[in-house]
Structure formats: C-alpha cells, structure tokens
Amino acid sequence: MTLSEELQWRGFVNQSTFEDITELDKKTWTFYHGFDASADSQTIGNLAAMMFDKVFMRHGHKAILLAGGATSLIGDPGGKDKERELQSEEIIANNVAAAEAQLKKVFGDNEFELVNNIEWTKSMSVLEFLRDIGKHFSMTPLVQRDYIAKRIGENGAGITYTEFSYTLLQGMDFLHLYDKFGCTLQLGGSDQWGNCISGVDLIRRARGKEAHVITLPLVINKATGKKFGKSEEGAVWLDEQRTSVYKFYQFWLNVDDGGVEDYLKVYTELSKEEIDRVITIFKEDPSQRHAQKTLAYEVTKIVHGIEQADAVVLASDLLFGRRSAEEMRPAEVAILAGELPVIEAATGASIIDVVSNAGLAESNGEARRLIDQGAIKLNGEKQTIESVVSSDHAKLQGHGLLQRGKNKFALIKIN
C-alpha cells in the first residue's frame, strides 16, 4: 500500500493543495506538524494528528515536530468566539516540555526533528517582523477567513491585533523550516487550513517556491455526531495524571459499535488485513466487543507502554470476573488502588463493618441487607452475616477486592 493509499484508507485526507494526492508517492518529503502548548498535556484529538504523522514516518518521510512555544503565547483564534486568556511564558515553557515528552513517547523509535518556534521568534524585532513577514500578506484574504470574519462581523466579539497576527506567525514557521530544513509540506488539522495556507503563500511570495499542505478531518463520534474525544468528565488526556490509565483504557473499551472500525484505522498501527480480521470477528458477535478490546489495548500500548497496557487489561478483567485475584501483580493492584476506594481492615473484622467503612453501604443496617441479598462479594465469593476478614483474603498483594453488585468496588488492605 502506497502512502497516498494508506492515508485515504485510514481516513486521513481532508483538504489538500495537491491536485492529485498520489503526488505524495513520487518523492521523499520533509514535512512538519505543529503541536499546541496551551495545556500541560495533549489529548486524544492531538493523538489522531500524531498517528497521521506516523503514517508518513513509516513510509520513510522526514518529520519535523514543532512545539508552539511562541504561538501558544498568542493563542490560535480559530474556533474561538472570544479571545483566549494569555498564559505566562513560564507556563507555556512547562507545557512545551510536557508536550515534547509525550511526543517522544508516542513516536517511540521513529526518527524526527523536534523544534520550538520560540527559538526563531524571541529575538525578532517588531520592525523585522513587519518588513520581512508582514509585507508579504494582503489584508483582504486575511479578513475574509471564516474565523476572523465571524469575530469582526456584526455581533462578533472583535479580534485584537495579537490574535490576528497568529496566522502570520504560523506562516513564518513554515518559511523558517523551509529555509533551514528544506521542508515543503505541512500537516495539520482541518481547523488549521487557513493558517497552513499562510505558510504556503509566504514561501511562494518570499522565496518563489512551491509548498503544500494536507489536513486531516476532525474525528467524529458517529453515535453523537459530535467531536470525538470527550468523556463525561471532559477531554481524554494523554497524561495519566489527568486521565488515569484505567479511565483511558475504559474510554476506548466503551466506544460505539458504529465508529469502532474508523477508530481502529485512525488510532492504531494495525494493517488493513489485521483490522479486517478484527472486524470480521467483531461482526460475528458484537456483544463480545472484540473490536473495542483490540482498540483499547492498542491505543493504551501506544500512549502508556506495553507494561501499563497489559496491567490495565488484567485489572479490568479482574473487576469483571474474567481473572482471579491470584493473577494480579503489583502493577495491576497499583492501577486498581488509583481508581477504587482503599480502606484498611484487621484480620477478624466483621464484613458488615468493612462494607460500611468502604462506602459500599450507608450504614451497618444497609450492609446487612445487602449481604442477606447476596450482593456482597470478597474476592469473588459471596459473604454472609457471620463472615470476617482473614489473612486468606489478602490475595491482591496484601489486599482483598470487595464488591457490591456488578459495578461497585473497594480495595481492602488487610493488616
């Protein structure tokens, strides 16, 4: 499968300056893709862009990944109804460091050049910017761009010169990378089309050379019709301090049946043959969620590493009765301890008190009723009113797994 064929099969081609996308297959390209540093973690929306880049890398093209240390100080006005709140240089620098660490983890052994646009903007004077960059831009097409026209039109919130200049700064990035690395291709999201075109126009006017852009479409949740990547708790982050490995895995495990094949193409590196096999098995019995399980494991492996992916699978399987407590290692118990209430209990403690103390019942009376109804289990075994905690229950690295019904759990550290 050629580069252009794989891009189209995975659904990565939206807008492009190429008349024929197969032009990509005719030479080795040096491309760049910029990543925002307005937050201290990237999201799974950014991950789709990274997977876009990885297709080019697998086909032998040279990658430049740009952390927006300068542009993030300004803030992209695209898609915003009002001006972003400006962040300090210190915060942006910390965000850049976090973005670079995540990029290195996701891209793994793939080679790439990592740059930060603060390097070539911090020492540029206002006069240099106006004379060397600003003179190549006509105001007419700029004010006609959708996001600018909306802001300066009737009932718009207006736009400051700071935000208005963002597209010139991004165009300057492309020009700088063209001059330094011979970069002639920019990748971006569909919402970046206008900013990407600024670079193409600037290279043509300032250097008399041709450059190109390809954007990937927004990934849409087919079940809701909304932008993919939002959970009930908000954005799904790549940083496990913001979205735990367990919640990250569960997000993918619970994606809709209608969209899972598309997500496999975008968010994994599985081949067409492998994905076809997964979908064939999935369609034979969708209730087994084979496609979602494959997706969840593969994406977690890319973002958090194979050890964490294996651990979260085992931890998840334990909660849903597919594994025994004896199979759990410290890594799995650590994942569970980060998600579940954890209480301490001495050997000989009444199961009634333990259930109540763990928050699985509001009172000892409710705990008794739940136990009588067979709703309370410890390590998968139903408990009785007379049950007490013993050292034999410490099967999870010194812990026991307490369960109410199907979906409420707590860890008991047994002393």
Side-chain angles (χ1 to χ4, degrees):
M1 191 181 290
T2 66
L3 171 61
S4 63
E5 288 171 339
E6 183 172 356
L7 289 173
Q8 292 177 92
W9 169 70
R10 290 191 184 273
F12 276 140
V13 180
N14 190 25
Q15 305 120 310
S16 174
T17 53
F18 291 107
E19 291 184 7
D20 185 345
I21 200 70
T22 61
E23 292 179 49
L24 284 171
D25 305 323
K26 296 177 181 178
K27 70 173 190 177
T28 299
W29 295 86
T30 297
F31 71 91
Y32 101 90
H33 199 152
F35 289 87
D36 183 53
S38 59
D40 60 4
S41 174
Q42 304 290 296
T43 69
I44 62 170
N46 306 118
L47 180 60
M50 297 178 202
M51 300 306 290
F52 184 30
D53 298 341
K54 290 182 86 172
V55 177
F56 280 82
M57 294 177 180
R58 288 199 299 273
H59 284 267
H61 301 280
K62 298 175 184 177
I64 302 168
L65 303 180
L66 182 149
T71 40
S72 297
L73 287 168
I74 301 300
D76 183 1
K80 302 296 180 183
D81 293 328
K82 59 183 180 180
E83 187 167 7
R84 294 171 184 254
E85 184 175 337
L86 296 181
Q87 300 186 78
S88 70
E89 292 184 28
E90 182 181 10
I91 289 174
I92 294 299
N94 289 333
N95 292 350
V96 166
E100 290 177 347
Q102 289 179 344
L103 290 170
K104 289 176 180 177
K105 193 168 186 179
V106 170
F107 287 106
D109 295 333
N110 292 284
E111 292 186 6
F112 58 90
E113 187 81 29
L114 188 59
V115 299
N116 182 347
N117 56 17
I118 196 73
E119 296 168 8
W120 55 86
T121 55
K122 63 182 177 182
S123 59
M124 176 176 275
S125 70
V126 174
L127 288 177
E128 285 178 307
F129 178 71
L130 294 175
R131 285 177 59 84
D132 298 341
I133 303 301
K135 70 176 182 178
H136 294 293
F137 286 86
S138 168
M139 289 293 293
T140 304
L142 291 179
V143 298
Q144 290 174 345
R145 289 189 181 168
D146 289 346
Y147 64 91
I148 294 177
K150 182 179 178 181
R151 291 274 291 273
I152 64 178
E154 188 176 352
N155 299 321
I159 188 168
T160 64
Y161 182 75
T162 299
E163 281 195 305
F164 185 81
S165 68
Y166 183 93
T167 192
L168 278 70
L169 289 173
Q170 189 164 321
M172 184 174 72
D173 289 343
F174 202 169
L175 178 64
H176 175 84
L177 297 176
Y178 170 82
D179 287 342
K180 185 172 182 178
F181 298 103
C183 177
T184 54
L185 177 63
Q186 183 179 0
L187 309 186
S190 58
D191 58 341
Q192 289 295 305
W193 174 252
N195 293 330
C196 294
I197 290 298
S198 289
V200 171
D201 290 344
L202 181 57
I203 290 170
R204 177 172 51 80
R205 289 172 178 153
R207 301 292 183 265
K209 299 295 183 179
E210 184 178 63
H212 289 281
V213 173
I214 301 176
T215 67
L216 74 158
L218 289 176
V219 183
I220 300 299
N221 185 329
K222 289 187 175 181
T224 64
K226 297 180 180 179
K227 183 179 177 180
F228 182 71
K230 299 287 185 181
S231 69
E232 292 180 2
E233 299 170 350
V236 180
W237 302 90
L238 305 193
D239 185 342
E240 62 183 281
Q241 300 303 314
R242 280 179 168 257
T243 300
S244 71
V245 180
Y246 180 81
K247 287 187 173 68
F248 186 85
Y249 177 81
Q250 290 294 321
F251 172 83
W252 298 101
L253 200 60
N254 290 305
V255 299
D256 57 292
D257 289 355
V260 69
E261 183 173 0
D262 289 343
Y263 308 146
L264 281 164
K265 292 176 182 178
V266 170
Y267 287 103
T268 79
E269 295 181 276
L270 298 177
S271 67
K272 183 178 186 303
E273 292 73 24
E274 289 170 320
I275 291 177
D276 286 345
R277 282 197 296 271
V278 169
I279 295 302
T280 297
I281 295 170
F282 167 68
K283 288 182 176 178
E284 289 173 356
D285 186 1
S287 67
Q288 295 300 310
R289 303 187 73 74
H290 178 68
Q292 283 90 345
K293 290 175 184 176
T294 302
L295 174 68
Y297 179 76
E298 291 294 327
V299 184
T300 304
K301 184 172 68 174
I302 288 170
V303 174
H304 296 293
I306 192 168
E307 291 185 4
Q308 287 281 64
D310 289 341
V312 77
V313 169
L314 288 172
S316 182
D317 283 350
L318 173 70
L319 295 183
F320 295 99
R322 295 187 292 267
R323 299 274 180 173
S324 66
E326 289 85 349
E327 295 178 77
M328 298 298 108
R329 302 163 302 178
E332 288 86 67
V333 177
I335 285 174
L336 292 174
E339 299 301 322
L340 307 178
V342 181
I343 68 163
E344 295 189 10
T347 56
S350 165
I351 194 67
I352 296 171
D353 292 334
V354 171
V355 170
S356 181
N357 292 339
L360 299 186
E362 293 184 0
S363 65
N364 282 3
E366 184 184 18
R368 284 176 177 273
R369 289 193 296 275
L370 290 169
I371 294 168
D372 279 337
Q373 293 165 3
I376 300 297
K377 296 179 182 179
L378 183 53
N379 293 339
E381 297 178 355
K382 287 185 179 181
Q383 301 297 292
T384 66
I385 296 297
E386 293 77 23
S387 295
V388 295
V389 173
S390 75
S391 58
D392 290 339
H393 290 129
K395 295 180 179 181
L396 285 168
Q397 304 292 322
H399 298 73
L401 180 66
L402 189 65
Q403 179 177 355
R404 172 185 170 176
K406 290 184 177 181
N407 299 311
K408 292 185 178 180
F409 302 90
L411 277 182
I412 312 301
K413 185 177 181 181
I414 299 170
N415 299 320

